[in-house]
Amino acid sequence: MTSHRTTQTMKPATAAKKLGVYLEATPKEFQEGVVSRDELNTLQADPPEWLRELRRSGPHPRPVVAARLGVSISGLARGGVTEPLTTEQIDALKSESPEWLRKEQAIQAEVRKESARIKEKQAGQAD
């Protein structure tokens, strides 16, 4: 008895999300095709030039923008950032350091601190 293995595929949007890139900025053939699990692994292990360039300079999807600015995705929306940003735009925002960004970074720092406190407390209770 042999096991028949089917190739697992995903939509381009899912693959782009897993790769951390903005789908609309990817090549047409990537956007219009399907991506197998093996192809995704290859893209992650040995990214082609277009993927390296997208990761380097953008435009970046909201989760990447939020992470680079040290805020939540909700914080981006509250700050009025709804579009993908390039690395240059992210760096400019960091250097301008508008009031909303400082506020959202402080909120995010508090959230992380509280999460760490809860995790420590739970680890203490498990002992």
Side-chain angles (χ1 to χ4, degrees):
M1 191 161 122
T2 61
S3 67
H4 184 51
R5 189 172 159 204
T6 59
T7 304
Q8 185 181 13
T9 60
M10 61 193 83
K11 295 178 183 175
T14 304
K17 188 174 183 178
K18 289 180 181 288
L19 292 169
V21 295
Y22 183 57
L23 177 63
E24 284 74 17
T26 61
K28 261 307 186 222
E29 55 273 6
F30 181 86
Q31 293 178 34
E32 295 171 351
V34 293
V35 181
S36 72
R37 173 61 66 185
D38 291 337
E39 289 170 330
L40 179 69
N41 291 340
T42 301
L43 286 170
Q44 288 173 324
D46 185 24
E49 184 54 36
W50 65 265
L51 182 54
R52 286 195 298 270
E53 182 58 30
L54 264 181
R55 286 177 170 168
R56 186 174 28 253
S57 55
H60 303 288
R62 285 180 305 169
V64 174
V65 173
R68 289 188 177 194
L69 290 174
V71 299
S72 67
I73 294 173
S74 306
L76 280 181
R78 286 189 294 270
V81 179
T82 56
E83 297 298 315
L85 299 178
T86 64
T87 299
E88 191 176 294
Q89 292 169 314
I90 292 169
D91 292 343
L93 254 179
K94 283 180 178 178
S95 64
E96 290 168 15
S97 191
E99 176 62 31
W100 73 265
L101 181 58
R102 290 192 306 273
K103 180 181 173 190
E104 292 299 333
Q105 287 171 331
I107 290 170
Q108 191 67 12
E110 284 298 316
V111 168
R112 286 190 194 110
K113 196 162 74 173
E114 181 65 8
S115 293
R117 186 191 68 77
I118 291 170
K119 190 174 180 179
E120 263 183 40
K121 184 178 177 183
Q122 288 172 343
Q125 288 175 349
D127 291 342

